[in-house]
Amino acid sequence: MVKPQLPSSVSSPQDLAALTLEVHGYLRWFAHASVKKRVTGAAISQPPELSPGATELIRDWAAKQQLTQAGLDELVKALEDFKQNAPSLTVTLAAPVPGDLKEKLVTWFRQNVAPDILVTFRFNATLLGGMVVNYGSRIFDWSFRRQILAARHKFPEVLRNV
Amino acid sequence: MDYLQIFLLFNVFAMGVLAAVAVRHAYAHFRPKEPESPKLIANVPQVQLPPMVRGRLVKEAEQHFLQQLDQSVTDLQKDLRATSVQMNKQLEQLGTAVAISEKGRYASMLEDLRKRTQIALSAAQAELDQHQVELKAQMAQAVVAEQQLLIKQIDAKLADAVASFLTEALQHNVDLGSQSEYLVDLLNQHKEDFKREVTGGEAAATK
């Protein structure tokens, strides 16, 4: 089965769920429009408004396969498969992640770890900086707070040498 | 004849002798002989003296007897006095000797007791000094340990205070834009760890 390339704006399982709904909606419109055109020969109505991510996904999919109902069904199935089997991790930063940084990080994960990986972003101001990555039961804590706490025994030595 | 038979014969002979002696003694005890009356001295013819002469002789004999008696009494008194003086002297010497010996014994006992007490006191003093030294060393160690503990506690509290201060001071207005390169470098450093975790998890999931 051909796997679609998830756009970097679609990072988390919630984004994927929203994208799947959008593609479902597009599929329904496509089915209706196809039947209407076959039966009445009337012009196809305007497609529903899609997000840039959904648009990019469908465009990429159409480039690989023909944009037919079967193709769209396969796309939906592939998205469902992503939802069930794609690896998922959580990245916690010290502030709400801006869009460009989010895309940068998601692109990095999909290029270096797994192409279908889903990333959920959270923020916690007490981290002060750096990030905390949770994957399953593993936690990778590279936050400034942890580094400060790990090196706190050096404060008295530094103060003595001042 | 062996020695036992000789010894038995000798014993029989000794028993016979002893029995004979015992019989003689019993006979003498139960039938004592009357003592022989003393033989009279040959009779002395009696001479008749005139009463005046007899009286004078008796008087002279009485005076002589009284003189002898007085002399004996005087001698006896003299002897008694000398004996009592001698006895007093002897008693005084004996008493002095006993007092001196008892005093010497008492003094030696006291000296012995004093020496033993001195030894015991010295031992106790030495033990006290040693115990004092040990206590001082223990106290010094305890003080040092307490100092170290306090320093450690102060360091820990200081470290916690500084960490809390930094957390409180830096948690506001965090700029992620300036950290983006740092975050990507961080991910690149741990790329293999991620791959291992994800692929290992997928392999476990497929199993």
Side-chain angles (χ1 to χ4, degrees), chain A residues 63-83:
Chain A
K64 289 178 191 170
Q65 292 198 336
Q66 272 190 336
L67 197 62
T68 57
Q69 187 147 349
L72 285 172
D73 281 337
E74 206 175 312
L75 176 61
V76 168
K77 209 179 283 183
L79 290 176
E80 294 287 335
D81 184 57
F82 268 141
K83 190 178 165 186

Side-chain angles (χ1 to χ4, degrees), chain A residues 92-94 124 126-133 140-150, chain B residues 179 182-183 186:
Chain A
T92 308
L93 300 170
N124 181 357
T126 60
L127 296 185
L128 306 181
M131 67 167 89
V132 175
V133 178
F140 301 89
D141 189 345
W142 303 308
S143 62
F144 288 178
R145 180 183 67 179
R146 191 191 67 83
Q147 291 177 37
I148 288 171
L149 290 176
Chain B
Q179 292 184 22
Y182 168 71
L183 293 173
L186 207 54

